[in-house]
Amino acid sequence: MVATDKEAAHRAASDAEQIAWVDGEDQLLGAMVRSELRERGLIGRGTYIMLFNSAGELCVHRRTLSKAIYPGYWDVAAGGMVLASESYAESAARELEEELGVSGVELVAHDHFFFEDTGNRLWCSAFCAVWDGPLRLQPEEVLEAHFMPLDQVLREIHEKPYCPDSLAALQRYLARRR
């Protein structure tokens, strides 16, 4: 599979976005172009929104091949980088609508943590929401999406490539529920 021209154009626009640049204590230092922040190994802010249906199933989706980080991986959360002009909650609402076409739902904040992986250093805020309506996928970012029982998701994460940052958010969410 190859990224489409539309995906490549979306990636270029995404790489040029001004996102929140923060320090190790999540204090805002300013705005920085996403690609520069990533190249310099600096810290940004990210949001993760775990979308459940009323049956308790979790929405999982597959990322497009044009994504800068974890291309083609499965993901347990919608989300993305917080723009310099946004709060975590504003970013979460925007990302959920952009990626999955879900808006007007209550976003419940449940965690704030630091995540670090190769090429990915973030202060993260995780949210969850419930939605039983249709999904409208953003084709430049999401290849497919569906709801799955949590026990199936937890088995599948060992069989398919899943984004480690959103898995960290899910694991923290599940640990808090126990």
Side-chain angles (χ1 to χ4, degrees), residues 51 100-103 131-137 147:
L51 184 65
L100 300 177
V102 174
S103 62
W131 176 257
D132 288 316
L135 300 174
R136 288 181 291 105
L137 308 183
F147 286 92

Side-chain angles (χ1 to χ4, degrees), residues 3 17 30 37 40 74-75 103 110 140:
E17 288 176 333
L37 184 100
R40 292 177 57 189
W74 287 90
D75 210 334
S103 62
H110 62 80
E140 298 85 7

